[in-house]
Amino acid sequence: MKLKADAVLFDKDGTLFDFGATWNVWTAKVIEDLSEGDVFKAQAMADAARYDLTEKAYLPDSPIIAGTNREAAECLSVALPDWSVDDLEVYLMKSSAQAPLAEAAPLVPLLARLSAMDLSLGVMTNDTEYGARSHLRFAGVEGMFDFIAGFDSGYGAKPSPAPLLAFAQGMGHPPERVVMVGDSTHDLEAGRAAGMLTVGVLTGPAGAEDLASLADVVLPDIGHLPEWLQA
């Protein structure tokens, strides 16, 4: 049976790891730590991040959801005048590497199955490469990927297609034989611009209605990917 593709490139947050269970929890702790008990500062940070302190969840229009670590630091710095953007960026990078991880599907068996299908596997995230590798290492899957890149790895950031094309070129596959899997419009816009197949997953803040127009298929989570590739 011929597969739909020769390679799969995953987003990280909201795709490999469930966004809400991971990043909503981490953000609540960041706001608590950086506000140092000042409720007004905490609310100012939440407002800047478009984060609901009561529900402990990002609002759908938050600029942080699909942004880079640098963009997150710039966003939060509005409410933290005593922090430079550079220092805040480093703080977020180190703190996010310790975020509680909730796998969107059991990763080791899934990636082993995809590898057995002779697929090249990669990760491209708008997080830092440091954060990406830390998370993948903690989950025990860093060595299962052929390519791992963050926004700071030298290829650019999504929604630019450049980092996706770097993966395709590095693996020796034509873009049309690569699948970009992600939970946000940034992921799928990048995939479309690169000429790749696109798969949306619903383990991030976006709903099916947000992703459908940019996706070849929208799946509940990455656990359904092998069946779709073989269909």
Side-chain angles (χ1 to χ4, degrees):
M1 179 182 295
K2 185 173 174 61
L3 299 177
K4 288 184 171 70
D6 299 317
V8 180
L9 182 61
F10 294 93
D11 170 53
K12 178 170 69 74
D13 303 316
T15 303
L16 295 176
F17 302 104
D18 182 275
F19 186 90
T22 299
W23 295 106
N24 286 343
V25 175
W26 172 78
T27 300
K29 183 68 165 59
V30 166
I31 290 176
E32 178 185 352
D33 289 348
L34 292 182
S35 63
E36 299 178 311
D38 184 330
V39 295
F40 297 104
K41 185 182 290 187
Q43 189 59 59
M45 290 177 63
D47 290 343
R50 297 291 291 152
Y51 181 85
D52 188 319
L53 283 176
T54 302
E55 297 296 328
K56 289 185 167 48
Y58 279 99
L59 297 171
D61 62 349
S62 169
I64 289 180
I65 289 173
T68 66
N69 192 61
R70 179 71 179 186
E71 289 167 338
E74 290 170 344
C75 179
L76 291 175
S77 69
V78 174
L80 297 167
D82 294 335
W83 283 77
S84 71
V85 173
D86 288 344
D87 288 345
L88 190 54
E89 182 180 16
V90 172
Y91 170 88
L92 293 176
M93 178 184 71
K94 292 181 177 179
S95 174
S96 65
Q98 306 302 317
L101 299 175
E103 296 179 9
L107 292 179
V108 170
L110 172 63
L111 295 172
R113 183 177 177 186
L114 293 174
S115 182
M117 294 161 65
D118 203 26
L119 291 161
S120 300
L121 303 177
V123 176
M124 199 287 131
T125 174
N126 277 357
D127 192 2
T128 61
E129 183 175 334
Y130 170 88
R133 290 189 178 277
S134 295
H135 292 154
L136 297 173
R137 189 178 308 121
F138 183 84
V141 297
E142 182 184 16
M144 301 182 80
F145 291 100
D146 305 295
F147 176 97
I148 299 171
F151 84 94
D152 56 351
S153 298
Y155 307 114
K158 297 171 292 189
S160 167
L164 283 63
L165 292 171
F167 167 70
Q169 182 177 10
M171 296 298 104
H173 301 301
E176 62 271 19
R177 293 291 298 169
V178 178
V179 180
M180 176 67 214
V181 185
D183 69 297
S184 76
T185 55
H186 269 38
D187 299 322
L188 304 186
E189 286 168 359
R192 280 279 194 254
M196 297 177 175
L197 294 167
T198 53
V199 172
V201 289
L202 300 179
T203 42
E209 66 280 3
D210 302 309
L211 305 177
S213 65
L214 294 167
D216 291 290
V217 66
V218 177
L219 302 175
D221 58 58
I222 56 174
H224 294 77
L225 190 61
E227 285 70 24
W228 177 79
L229 286 164
Q230 296 175 99

